[in-house]
Amino acid sequence: MTLSSPLPKPQQQQQQTTTTTDGEIQEVDIFHQFDVVSDSSDHHYLVNNIDNDNVRSSKKTKDGGGDSLTNISSGVYKKIMQEWKILEKHLPDSIYVRVYENRIDLLRAVIIGAAGTPYHDGLYFFDIAFPPDYPARPPLVHYRSFGLRINPNLYANGRVCLSLLNTWPGRKSEKWNSSESTVLQVLVSIQALVLNEKPYYNEPGNGVLPGRAIWEKKSNAYSENVFLLSCKTMLFLLRRPPKNFEGFVASHFREKASVILSACNAYINGQTRVGYYRNDGSCSSGNSSTVDVSDKFKGLMGQLYPELLLGFKRNGASLGNFVEPSVQPVEMKTSSFKGKAVIQSKKIGFARTVFAKLKRVLGLKKMKWPKRGQKEGFLTEDS
């Protein structure tokens, strides 16, 4: 795309001096919160060629004619440039954004999971596209899920359900407002309202009926699963980081590896509930006694922990004091299957007993219980 006006230039790469855990001084590249890049080749809305009047279009606009995304006099172009300025000046510390000089209709953002949530220290990437009539319609947002559903509002296929995006029901004040709403507002809403402390309650109906203890138990179980999936997401990101964020992903997990592994151990040992481990090693739940952690979580975390440890070490993290936790993995599927088999066997045994009594009462000596392979509910005669 050839633009009619020069765009903001990419920022010059800068370095800062840091001290490692071993006391060594090294220089690392500064990753700016907002920057302009050129390579958009792995962006969701480019890779999947999603046009359909939703993303880039050559449709003429009323306010200047020509492509609304290249014509500097169009309202769409001006609005996107305004969005860039807002993002550059007002992004919170935990959100980073990259925009593209050759595709101003696309951008990518990453949100760092907040402390006090089961998403803590994780990275969550979102690909965003402006429609050709922006801001009349909200931006399209795709979560890079790796096939994992970590939240009721974030589907495994990448769909993001949010009232502000008009992808979820809500009051008028919660919907997209073309004169006020911004991409920054969308990102902050995802961070605060979606990636929150108790995501189980994001699902409509959960927690509505009486029985707080039951709901909290289900919420804790859901958060355990969320943390497991977030850890799996970390491994996927280390193996296949999004373009223009490769260095950021590697640096983030080198820095946070020890905290993440310490949290895993704290959760397995019941020192605190999942999500409440703090970066300083303390527990934010305020409870000094041990808490109940499901056997399912312990088993699955015991299987995943060695993968995390290896992945972080390969990424260059210094983890000399960390070893695999002494937890025996629990195979939940096998026990569940056996339970169903026992119940089914009991049901069949009871049915055979009742059938035998009926034969004696009715004198149906020649009638037999159906053989395997025959349809249930039909009696057969002896030949």
Side-chain angles (χ1 to χ4, degrees):
M1 178 191 298
T2 303
L3 298 170
S4 308
S5 177
L7 292 173
K9 294 181 179 180
Q11 300 186 54
Q12 295 294 325
Q13 193 69 52
Q14 299 176 353
Q15 291 185 327
Q16 65 180 6
T17 302
T18 61
T19 304
T20 66
T21 54
D22 298 328
E24 297 180 358
I25 298 176
Q26 63 179 11
E27 288 188 344
V28 296
D29 293 334
I30 296 175
F31 192 83
H32 298 284
Q33 281 194 270
F34 178 91
D35 206 351
V36 184
V37 294
S38 57
D39 188 357
S40 59
S41 59
D42 70 332
H43 196 282
H44 172 76
Y45 292 104
L46 188 67
V47 171
N48 292 278
N49 194 28
I50 301 177
D51 261 352
N52 316 329
D53 246 1
N54 286 324
V55 189
R56 184 169 175 262
S57 172
S58 60
K59 186 168 62 176
K60 291 182 179 291
T61 59
K62 294 180 180 180
D63 54 356
D67 191 337
S68 60
L69 297 171
T70 58
N71 185 352
I72 62 174
S73 63
S74 74
V76 178
Y77 185 98
K78 292 177 181 178
K79 179 62 178 176
I80 293 176
M81 291 300 102
Q82 184 183 359
E83 291 278 9
W84 284 21
K85 291 179 181 178
I86 293 173
L87 291 169
E88 186 173 16
K89 292 181 179 180
H90 301 293
L91 278 173
D93 293 340
S94 52
I95 300 178
Y96 292 76
V97 170
R98 291 295 177 267
V99 297
Y100 304 95
E101 59 184 351
N102 61 336
R103 287 297 299 266
I104 68 166
D105 55 325
L106 305 178
L107 66 84
R108 172 170 290 162
V110 61
I111 298 174
I112 302 175
T117 75
Y119 304 100
H120 68 82
D121 301 306
L123 297 178
Y124 308 94
F125 282 86
F126 298 86
D127 284 357
I128 299 174
F130 295 104
D133 57 351
Y134 187 78
R137 284 183 293 163
L140 296 170
V141 181
H142 173 84
Y143 169 59
R144 297 179 72 89
S145 69
F146 299 98
L148 306 174
R149 188 174 185 183
I150 63 167
N151 190 282
N153 298 76
L154 304 177
Y155 285 66
N157 64 2
R159 176 179 172 82
V160 178
C161 287
L162 194 67
S163 299
L164 185 57
L165 297 174
N166 294 346
T167 54
W168 191 257
R171 295 187 294 270
K172 186 177 180 180
S173 59
E174 299 170 342
K175 296 278 193 175
W176 179 262
N177 184 328
S178 60
S179 61
E180 297 178 1
S181 302
T182 64
V183 170
L184 177 61
Q185 186 181 353
V186 170
L187 294 174
V188 173
S189 295
I190 292 174
Q191 183 182 48
L193 303 178
V194 177
L195 303 175
N196 59 29
E197 179 185 359
K198 297 182 178 181
Y200 176 75
Y201 295 109
N202 285 18
E203 188 69 46
N206 287 353
V208 175
L209 298 176
R212 180 177 178 181
I214 296 175
W215 290 117
E216 281 296 295
K217 185 176 181 179
K218 291 183 177 180
S219 175
N220 292 334
Y222 188 88
S223 291
E224 289 177 355
N225 188 56
V226 164
F227 182 73
L228 286 165
L229 296 179
S230 293
C231 289
K232 289 183 179 180
T233 301
M234 297 175 193
L235 291 173
F236 280 122
L237 286 170
L238 285 170
R239 295 166 191 163
R240 192 175 54 181
K243 287 186 181 298
N244 305 300
F245 285 87
E246 296 91 342
F248 175 79
V249 170
S251 176
H252 173 82
F253 287 121
R254 274 197 298 270
E255 179 185 346
K256 297 295 183 181
S258 60
V259 172
I260 294 168
L261 293 175
S262 295
C264 292
N265 281 314
Y267 299 150
I268 289 174
N269 296 326
Q271 292 175 248
T272 185
R273 295 203 182 281
V274 170
Y276 293 104
Y277 184 85
R278 287 178 175 170
N279 290 356
D280 60 2
S282 63
C283 302
S284 59
S285 58
N287 190 352
S288 58
S289 60
T290 58
V291 297
D292 291 330
V293 181
S294 70
D295 289 337
K296 178 181 178 180
F297 175 80
K298 291 179 181 179
L300 294 176
M301 193 73 254
Q303 293 173 354
L304 187 59
Y305 188 95
E307 294 184 51
L308 279 174
L309 183 61
L310 180 60
F312 290 152
K313 284 184 175 180
R314 285 177 175 173
N315 186 50
S318 179
L319 300 169
N321 296 328
F322 286 89
V323 295
E324 296 180 17
S326 56
V327 176
Q328 294 297 323
V330 178
E331 279 290 344
M332 300 305 295
K333 290 184 178 180
T334 303
S335 59
S336 175
F337 175 79
K338 288 181 179 179
K340 290 181 180 178
V342 170
I343 293 172
Q344 186 178 12
S345 176
K346 287 181 178 179
K347 287 183 178 178
I348 293 175
F350 175 75
R352 286 183 182 274
T353 303
V354 173
F355 183 70
K357 289 182 179 179
L358 283 174
K359 282 202 302 181
R360 287 197 299 270
V361 172
L362 300 176
L364 302 175
K365 295 182 179 180
K366 293 185 178 182
M367 307 307 288
K368 298 172 61 180
W369 181 266
K371 297 178 180 179
R372 288 186 179 180
Q374 292 178 322
K375 292 183 177 180
E376 295 183 8
F378 290 90
L379 301 180
T380 58
E381 291 190 13
D382 290 329
S383 55

